[in-house]
Amino acid sequence: MKNIQIHQLDAFSATLFGGNPGVVVFDADHLTDSDMGNIAREMNSTSETGYILKSKTADFRIRYFTPTDEVKFCGHVTLATLGMIAKEKRFGADRGINKQYNIEIGAGLVKGEIDWTHDQPIISFCPPPINLDPVPFNHSQLAEVLGISLDSIDQSKPILIERTNRYVYFAIKSLQQLKELQVNQQTAKAHATEHNIVVYCGLTPYGIDDNSHVHSRVFAPLVGIAEDPVTGSSQGPLTAYMIRNQMIDPSINQVNTEQGDFVGRAGRASVSILERDPISVKVSGPVVHVISADMQLP
C-alpha cells in the first residue's frame, strides 16, 4: 500500500468556492505515472493535480496531470503548491521571510516566490519565457471551428499562439459578447488536435471590477477541459498579447486580470510587468486551503 496526503486549494481566490481548484501532492517520488494519472482522474472536480518531487536542478519539481493527460505547466497548481508550502512552512517558508524558489517543470525552470514580509504571504510565480507567434488560420476559420460568431471577434487584433504552452489568444469586442460565447467542443477539439493547440483564450480589455484591465475565458478541449475557471499559465501571455496590441496604457506596470465569473468561480490575478522587451512578468494571486485528506493506494 502507498499512503499519500492530498491537499485541495482554490487558487486565485481569497474565499472558498472561487478561482480554480487544484490538488497538491507532496513527496510524490514513489508514485508511478499510472498512480499520478489515476489520482488526477479520481480528483475529477479539479482541472489539474500537481505532484511535488525532488529535483537535481531546482529546489523541487512539479509534474502536472489533468484527468486525461500530463501537461508541461499549470499556473494555478503552481500557485496552489506555493500556497500549501507556505501553510505547512516547507522548503524554508516562514513569517518574515521573502523566499524564492527555482521550480523544475515540463517546460524547463520557473521561479516561485512566497513573500511573507507582510501579515499574509504574497504568492507569485514567473511563467516560462513568452513567445507569441502568428497562426496558420484566420479569424473566420477560428470562428467556424469554435462555433462562435465572427462578429464577436475583434478582427483588428491578430490571433497569436504562445509557443511554449501552445495557447491561442484572440480578442473579443465586448464583455457581453465574451460572456455569450458558447464553444463547440467537438469541432474545437478536432481543430486543436490538428494544430496541437492546448488552449483557446478569448479576452477583452473590459472588466467587471473597476480596477481590472482584462477579462478572459479559456477553453481546453484537447486536454478534456471544456472551460477552465482561472488559468494561471495564460495570465502572462495574455498580458504580452495586450502589450503588443496596444490594449493597455504603456504607463501601466501591473495588469489586473479577471476570469471565471461566467462559470461561477470568479478569480483575480495581478500581473507585474518586469520587462517589456523581451516580455517578462510575475503572476500573483490569493490562495485558500479547502481540504486535506489521506489516500491509500493499492
Side-chain angles (χ1 to χ4, degrees):
M1 293 287 185
K2 301 175 185 177
N3 297 310
I4 64 168
Q5 190 170 53
I6 58 174
H7 309 281
Q8 183 170 328
L9 303 96
D10 288 340
F12 297 107
S13 176
T15 58
L16 284 176
F17 315 125
N20 201 347
V23 169
V24 176
V25 179
F26 288 112
D27 306 316
D29 300 84
H30 65 297
L31 299 179
T32 66
D33 287 7
S34 179
D35 291 334
M36 294 181 187
N38 286 334
I39 294 166
R41 282 186 288 276
E42 187 68 19
M43 305 305 297
N44 195 39
S45 60
T46 68
S47 52
E48 278 98 359
T49 298
Y51 299 93
I52 318 309
L53 306 95
K54 295 175 184 176
S55 172
K56 295 181 180 180
T57 59
D59 294 295
F60 52 88
R61 179 187 179 196
I62 308 179
R63 293 182 67 184
Y64 309 95
F65 282 74
T66 75
T68 60
D69 295 283
E70 182 174 6
V71 294
K72 292 181 180 180
F73 178 60
C74 174
H76 84 273
V77 169
T78 304
L79 200 77
T81 298
L82 292 166
M84 200 64 206
I85 287 172
K87 180 176 176 58
E88 295 199 341
K89 297 182 178 179
R90 292 176 177 249
F91 299 104
D94 206 344
R95 293 182 181 275
I97 298 174
N98 185 339
K99 187 68 177 176
Q100 300 188 21
Y101 301 99
N102 289 316
I103 306 171
E104 180 186 353
I105 62 169
L109 292 176
V110 296
K111 292 190 177 296
E113 180 180 88
I114 301 171
D115 183 355
W116 212 334
T117 57
H118 312 273
D119 291 340
Q120 297 295 323
I122 298 173
I123 311 298
S124 310
F125 64 86
C126 294
I130 299 167
N131 298 285
L132 295 173
D133 296 327
V135 295
F137 47 86
N138 59 33
H139 296 90
S140 178
Q141 292 168 322
L142 179 66
E144 182 178 358
V145 297
L146 295 185
I148 64 176
S149 168
L150 178 60
D151 184 60
S152 68
I153 300 176
D154 183 352
Q155 297 181 64
S156 70
K157 305 294 189 293
I159 307 167
L160 298 176
I161 187 167
E162 202 288 308
R163 192 185 308 159
T164 302
N165 287 317
R166 305 296 297 176
Y167 289 9
V168 163
Y169 294 86
F170 58 99
I172 298 295
K173 292 177 181 177
S174 72
L175 187 63
Q176 182 62 32
Q177 287 170 302
L178 183 65
K179 179 181 179 179
E180 293 172 354
L181 291 186
Q182 294 187 19
V183 169
N184 183 318
Q185 297 294 320
Q186 184 176 356
T187 56
K189 183 175 182 179
H191 185 259
T193 302
E194 179 185 356
H195 295 280
N196 188 25
I197 295 168
V198 178
V199 150
Y200 297 93
C201 176
L203 62 97
T204 190
Y206 305 101
I208 293 171
D209 299 341
D210 290 340
N211 67 337
S212 293
H213 301 100
V214 59
H215 197 109
S216 67
R217 293 180 67 186
V218 163
F219 310 94
L222 185 67
V223 292
I225 300 171
E227 181 167 358
D228 202 32
V230 189
T231 313
S233 51
S234 71
Q235 306 303 314
L238 74 82
T239 299
Y241 180 97
M242 295 182 72
I243 290 172
R244 178 178 292 193
N245 292 290
Q246 295 82 49
M247 298 170 73
I248 54 174
D249 191 288
S251 65
I252 292 174
N253 291 315
Q254 179 175 299
V255 177
N256 299 320
T257 72
E258 303 177 346
Q259 193 183 334
D261 295 74
F262 304 138
V263 291
R265 297 198 64 99
R268 301 293 183 266
S270 296
V271 183
S272 299
I273 302 170
L274 307 179
E275 295 181 24
R276 279 181 157 78
D277 189 17
I279 185 69
S280 175
V281 302
K282 179 169 71 173
V283 179
S284 305
V287 181
V288 60
H289 177 251
V290 179
I291 192 172
S292 294
D294 294 323
M295 180 182 287
Q296 195 173 67
L297 303 180

